[in-house]
Amino acid sequence: MTRAVIVRQLGGPEVMNLEDWPLASPGPGQVALRQTAIGLNFIDTYQRSGLYPVQLPFVAGNEGAGVITALGEGVTGFAVGDRVAYQGQVGAYAAERLAPADRMVHIPAGISDQTAAAIMLKGLTAYYLLFKTWPVARGETILWHAAAGGTGLIATQWAKALGATVIGTAGSDDKVALAKAHGCDHVINYRTEDFAARVRELTGGRGVDVVYDGVGKATFEKSLDCLRPRGLLASFGNASGVVSIPDVTLLARKGSLYVTRPTGAHYMGTRAELVEGAASLFEAVASGAIKVEIGRTFALADAAEAHRALENRETTGSVILLP
């Protein structure tokens, strides 16, 4: 048995409860982990609410770090005692868990378990968006919404290191200051300014090459107004609601624009892609190009409180749970 945060019915944060949960020995291709830190992400809230379907009941969470305590049949490349991290594997909100060995990556010396848990999902999201969805080139200008969030703080620093001009948005003066301290050349307070008009002003009327938008419904159409002709909107999250495009000719009227809805499942689907992305991420952290901001920590038992803080926009940087 282990202690885990269980979702037995869909709904708000109150549907999550810390319970005893059965834990078997690792099967073929699996490892057993004693978890040391667990990342909190918006996808966790989407699964809990039912926006992203997961079969009930389930252990919440998708990202963590820990120490391997046992190996299943056929596992190679890992040993008991190895420090590893992962993302995209439901079942993270637990003191111990089983997980596929081929979705684990070794944590390099010099990077703590808490840092690894804080960056795996968010950092690999930043990686595929900046290097694969739209490979950012030196001299380009990008707009990143929620620049003071966990993914935003990683991505804006990384984009700046790539030589881009980085414009961010944030929802308070404190968040604006935090985003400016983490790579943004300009930060727009979307609560007090029209961000589309300000982007046009900052770019001399041209618009940005690419918009990265994890906010969703509230920012979608005005994000299109920020793009140069033939620019790309990468819509990768739904924090304010799901996006819909009732009339695709809108993209033609606004400049023959491109829109994509990327997910990590399609960019990190193979082990080779996962290892490549994690190596790039860990290297950027080790070099100092990315400084990891852990805004808050919660006990595993307080996962519901952590979800409320995330959904109410009360957090900055990465948030982690400690088992």
Side-chain angles (χ1 to χ4, degrees):
M1 300 292 284
T2 187
R3 295 290 281 170
V5 175
I6 312 302
V7 178
R8 296 189 179 279
Q9 63 184 62
L10 303 177
E14 69 281 355
V15 303
M16 299 190 300
N17 293 289
L18 185 66
E19 304 177 19
D20 290 329
W21 186 254
L23 185 70
S25 298
Q30 290 185 319
V31 296
L33 298 178
R34 174 178 56 80
Q35 300 209 110
T36 52
I38 300 157
L40 183 75
N41 296 280
F42 267 104
I43 190 174
D44 307 349
T45 71
Y46 305 155
Q47 291 168 342
R48 185 210 72 222
S49 70
L51 179 63
Y52 291 0
V54 178
Q55 184 174 351
L56 295 170
F58 66 92
V59 178
N62 294 269
E63 170 188 49
V67 177
I68 293 177
T69 57
L71 304 174
E73 181 183 350
V75 173
T76 60
F78 296 97
V80 171
D82 284 355
R83 294 192 309 130
V84 295
Y86 64 89
Q87 58 86 37
Q89 299 297 309
V90 175
Y93 290 8
E96 299 174 86
R97 71 165 300 177
L98 304 180
D102 67 356
R103 304 312 293 173
M104 300 294 111
V105 297
H106 289 97
I107 302 173
I111 292 181
S112 71
D113 290 13
Q114 289 193 20
T115 295
I119 64 172
M120 277 297 290
L121 196 152
K122 290 171 278 291
L124 289 178
T125 298
Y127 168 77
Y128 75 69
L129 289 169
L130 296 173
F131 289 85
K132 304 295 183 179
T133 304
W134 177 286
V136 172
R138 183 172 297 278
E140 290 185 328
T141 301
I142 75 167
L143 173 65
W144 196 287
H145 285 302
T151 305
L153 290 181
I154 293 169
T156 53
Q157 293 178 84
W158 215 343
K160 189 63 180 173
L162 293 171
T165 297
V166 182
I167 303 172
T169 68
S172 71
D173 290 342
D174 287 345
K175 290 183 178 181
V176 166
L178 184 63
K180 283 184 176 177
H182 287 77
C184 287
D185 296 284
H186 311 279
V187 186
I188 303 163
N189 186 332
Y190 66 83
R191 296 188 188 278
T192 60
E193 294 185 86
D194 180 331
F195 71 80
R198 181 63 175 143
V199 165
R200 288 290 172 182
E201 180 183 343
L202 289 169
T203 60
R206 175 180 180 271
V208 300
D209 297 285
V210 55
V211 176
Y212 296 104
D213 187 358
V215 176
K217 185 176 181 180
T219 51
F220 178 75
E221 190 159 342
K222 292 187 76 170
S223 290
L224 297 177
D225 294 330
C226 296
L227 288 165
R228 64 159 171 83
R230 302 195 305 277
L232 172 73
L233 170 54
S235 176
F236 66 95
N238 325 289
S240 67
V242 177
V243 169
S244 62
I245 309 176
D247 177 5
V248 75
T249 64
L250 177 71
L251 303 179
R253 295 195 300 272
K254 290 182 180 290
S256 296
L257 303 177
Y258 297 89
V259 174
T260 185
R261 181 57 173 88
T263 71
H266 299 125
Y267 281 90
M268 296 285 121
T270 69
R271 176 149 185 84
E273 290 167 331
L274 173 65
V275 170
E276 176 189 312
S280 183
L281 174 62
F282 288 140
E283 180 182 352
V285 173
S287 73
I290 297 172
K291 294 178 174 60
V292 179
E293 182 83 18
I294 298 177
R296 294 181 69 177
T297 61
F298 292 83
L300 183 60
D302 296 326
E305 181 184 346
H307 274 222
R308 290 188 189 96
L310 183 67
E311 292 179 301
N312 291 334
R313 310 295 194 274
E314 295 171 1
T315 65
T316 57
S318 297
V319 178
I320 59 173
L321 306 176
L322 299 177

